[in-house]
Amino acid sequence: MIKEVRLPEISENVESGEVIEVLVAVGDIIDQEQSVVELETEKATFEVPSPIKGRVTEINVKAGQKINVGEVIVKVETDIEARVPEKKPPAAEEEVTAKEPEVRQPGPVEQPLPVVKEPPIAKELEQAEVVEQKPLPAAGTVPAAPSVRQLARELGVDISQVPGSGPGGRVSLDDVKKYAKTIVTGAATRAAPAIKVRPLPDFTKWGQTERQPMTAIRKKIAENLSRTWSSIPQVTQHGEADITELMEFRNQYAKKVEEAGGKLTVTAMVIKVVASALKELPKFNASVDAVRGEIIYKKYYNIGVAVDTERGLLVPVIKDVEKKNILQLSVELTELARKTRDGKVGPENLMGGNFTVSNLGGIAGTYFTPILNWPEVAILGVGRAVKEPVFSDGLCQPRTVLPLSVSYDHRIIDGADGARFLKWIIQALEQPFLLAMEE
Ligand code: CAO
């Protein structure tokens, strides 16, 4: 029987992606969960697994092609074991025959998803059966019926922003309509004079140029940053931490962390300190619900880390930082940064963050002004630690100093809160024995 493997649901508001590479060829025998294509969406790059095993009979996509959710990627012949009985000795043939019902009516191991209807044998090659593939996992999925999601998509509404009136926050058709209305009326009353897109000059008048299309990820980064920059009043405050003792702590534990498969870097230590600061100052671990006029305080501590990749900046998230010690965090960060650079993180790794750490210190520079990673309300920028002469107790001594810059949403965080947050982070970094004691 020929079955179709289609592009499953990816995540909220992501309906298509671009094929980077086809990972199988016609004639290949593939296993269940084996990746068939590598896909790039506006959120991430990841591999799409096949929910069935069998022989690939047709490939319906090619590299560079844009495909939509539901579109056929490959066709797979699933009853290949039953098609080669004549080559087998009688005993094996018996075994194949005995196995046949299992192949034709797959159970939970072969095919965990409902098979629609078995076509007659003679028709099976022309009548490919659609295999429903589970949606790719996405963190923070909103409870809503497919028709509700469909309406939200049609109206261009981000369903994760719609307050659900049903049990457990389930979003109804009415909720989506109401929300869309609020946006339209709100936008109309706030409408500022539209900024016209200015035509570019013809640069070729002055020399040679080259035009390259922006990738889906680059377009999304540009859109998100422009929207956040123009819609949220944000402030950046700077401070510096004396991390001389912290560097000694790092030298002391570096080998142990390396043996566990990680690297004890400034980033890992900052992440641990930030989680404690978020507990202490919950406003920094919140989001603003502008529609309801509420602040959402989160009781978990998921921290995103800005990772510089060839495809652009991505922010994978380390979940439940407060439950992990510095060794576990170092190992997880090393692994997550590597996976992100290799384009192997899925949407589930890129969602659910409460706060972002952006460390440019591994490259160069001191202070900068990071832009918020919406819907988060704060972000910490880390510059390069350098040795500087520092006056203390009447003496001038060489100390290692780390530049820090915190940007925050000024709608809910006041300047004094910003100063308190920075002070907390600086003091924690200057007392590394507290870090060592944190479980
Ligand atoms: N000061 C001095 N040295 C630093 C440092 C800092 N702030 N941060 C890192 N380093 C050092 C590390 O100790 C390491 O040195 P050694 O090899 O001698 O041990 C070296 O720089 C490289 O570090 P790393 O990058 O491998 O590891 P990391 O855990 O510190 O950082 C990551 C991980 C993912 C944050 C980083 O690789 C990265 O991609 N940074 C770019 C983030 C970015 O683009 N931000 C801009 C976003 S716009 O807001």
Side-chain angles (χ1 to χ4, degrees), residues 243 250 263-268 305-309 313 333 337 341 357-363 368-371 379 382-386 402-403:
I243 57 163
R250 183 192 166 204
K263 191 172 168 189
L264 186 52
T265 60
V266 170
T267 312
V305 186
V307 177
D308 176 37
T309 78
L313 182 81
L333 173 64
R341 289 204 176 96
V357 171
S358 173
N359 178 13
L360 283 173
I363 308 167
F368 59 107
T369 53
I371 297 179
I379 178 169
V382 183
R384 186 161 184 82
V386 285
L402 183 70

Side-chain angles (χ1 to χ4, degrees), residues 222-378:
E223 188 193 319
N224 285 347
L225 287 176
S226 306
R227 196 185 302 152
T228 305
W229 180 247
S230 57
S231 63
I232 299 172
Q234 30 193 314
V235 180
T236 307
Q237 269 171 237
H238 307 289
E240 58 181 32
D242 180 340
I243 57 163
T244 314
E245 270 87 38
L246 189 74
M247 289 295 103
E248 280 163 20
F249 167 86
R250 183 192 166 204
N251 293 339
Q252 209 177 323
Y253 289 94
K255 197 153 191 308
K256 199 172 166 197
V257 175
E258 212 175 298
E259 279 164 11
K263 191 172 168 189
L264 186 52
T265 60
V266 170
T267 312
M269 297 188 282
V270 166
I271 289 171
K272 187 69 197 161
V273 166
V274 164
S276 310
L278 296 179
K279 263 190 187 174
E280 198 66 24
L281 300 151
K283 265 192 198 173
F284 288 78
N285 198 42
S287 281
V288 178
D289 183 338
V291 175
R292 289 189 176 184
E294 290 171 356
I295 299 172
I296 304 161
Y297 292 94
K298 295 156 207 170
K299 310 289 178 189
Y300 52 88
Y301 304 90
N302 295 347
I303 298 181
V305 186
V307 177
D308 176 37
T309 78
E310 275 179 10
R311 294 190 174 101
L313 182 81
L314 288 173
V315 187
V317 176
I318 300 190
K319 309 261 162 61
D320 300 320
V321 172
E322 84 284 8
K323 296 181 188 152
K324 296 169 184 166
N325 62 29
I326 188 75
L327 189 137
Q328 291 165 320
L329 286 173
S330 304
V331 173
E332 190 170 336
L333 173 64
T334 308
E335 175 64 12
L336 200 57
R338 188 187 56 73
K339 266 174 70 181
T340 309
R341 289 204 176 96
D342 292 347
K344 300 277 187 255
V345 284
E348 76 280 7
N349 294 117
L350 299 166
M351 297 169 95
N354 304 358
F355 183 100
T356 296
V357 171
S358 173
N359 178 13
L360 283 173
I363 308 167
T366 52
Y367 301 98
F368 59 107
T369 53
I371 297 179
L372 298 181
N373 185 17
W374 183 90
E376 298 166 11
V377 292

